[in-house]
Amino acid sequence: MQLSEREGLDLWRKAVTASVRSDAPDLTARQQAVLMTIALAPGPHTVRGLAEHLGIAKPAITRALDALERLGFIRRLPDDTDLRSIFVERTPEGMGYLRAFARLVLAAASGEEAGSGKPARRNSAVA
């Protein structure tokens, strides 16, 4: 399925809108990127590795991890071979959040209102 830029943005808008209407926590784009990287990219994950992978500073990764840890979406584990290093891994709660968000994206892509099984209301205005 090839999407135009506008269609891609509209798909993302619909999924994000459904997410903020839900009871799920509102994650920043950075927090979502960090969580998705931890969940979907091969590990093990460290602050340094995440910073390099995402191209952002280590303090920004640390702040995102702090927020994700408070939500129970990730956990930090000490590296037994290097006590200066900490591994980061997803939790079942974090995967549950991502699975729910994936369902919102899929519903938006299929033209349904997320979770309702009903066709999404279309805006009659043409841009």
Side-chain angles (χ1 to χ4, degrees):
M1 162 164 102
Q2 182 67 31
L3 297 177
S4 69
E5 288 176 351
R6 182 170 182 82
E7 290 168 330
L9 288 173
D10 195 47
L11 173 64
W12 190 252
R13 179 192 60 79
K14 288 175 183 176
V16 169
T17 299
S19 177
V20 299
R21 288 178 179 160
S22 75
D23 292 336
D26 292 341
L27 299 186
T28 66
R30 179 172 290 145
Q31 291 164 355
Q32 275 195 318
V34 169
L35 181 59
M36 285 191 266
T37 300
I38 294 166
L40 302 174
H45 299 287
T46 62
V47 171
R48 179 185 303 210
L50 290 165
E52 289 173 7
H53 180 82
L54 294 169
I56 56 179
K58 289 189 292 184
I61 295 292
T62 298
R63 287 190 299 274
L65 292 175
D66 290 345
L68 293 169
E69 190 171 42
R70 281 191 300 274
L71 291 167
F73 289 176
I74 59 103
R75 72 177 136 248
R76 293 172 167 134
L77 303 167
D79 178 353
D80 293 333
T81 63
D82 181 355
L83 298 179
R84 298 169 298 165
S85 185
I86 300 291
F87 292 124
V88 182
E89 66 180 30
R90 65 189 185 202
T91 64
E93 293 82 5
M95 285 308 296
Y97 171 86
L98 289 177
R99 284 187 185 101
F101 193 82
R103 287 190 295 273
L104 297 177
V105 173
L106 294 172
S110 69
E112 294 178 4
E113 288 185 22
S116 72
K118 297 183 215 171
R121 291 185 301 252
R122 300 272 184 224
N123 184 348
S124 60
V126 177

